Amino acid sequence: MNERSTKRGFASRPGDAEGWIKASDAPPRRTDDAAAFTARLTIDVTPALRGRIKVAAFQRGVTVADMLRALLAREFPTEAGEPS
């Protein structure tokens, strides 16, 4: 009962100091504006449309989120004077 689990938990630091230090040298997951997004947009689509969107994203070699962000940025560009 008092034994400590050897299973690493979510967001736990590595057991060795060297691995912990090197982990901070990893490049950020995204280097585009996606890191600046703070809101989630939820829409309802039919299963057929969802499938078409996923196939199109796969064929283009991008994620659905990245493809839709580009679409929305193209359709709704920022106007002069608006914050990005």
Side-chain angles (χ1 to χ4, degrees):
M1 290 280 271
N2 291 337
E3 293 179 27
R4 189 171 224 180
S5 174
T6 57
K7 181 180 174 184
R8 289 180 63 173
F10 176 75
S12 65
R13 61 182 171 211
D16 63 320
E18 195 64 31
W20 190 18
I21 293 168
K22 288 182 180 179
S24 66
D25 294 338
R29 188 168 173 210
R30 289 206 158 118
T31 56
D32 57 34
D33 291 336
F37 292 127
T38 59
R40 181 173 302 266
L41 176 65
T42 303
I43 60 170
D44 294 324
V45 296
T46 64
L49 177 57
R50 180 177 180 260
R52 292 194 310 269
I53 293 169
K54 288 176 74 172
V55 168
F58 179 78
Q59 289 173 338
R60 296 173 189 184
V62 297
T63 64
V64 169
D66 288 339
M67 185 179 73
L68 293 177
R69 280 187 200 109
L71 172 82
L72 292 170
R74 188 173 61 245
E75 290 297 316
F76 303 100
T78 56
E79 294 182 17
E82 283 188 14
S84 300

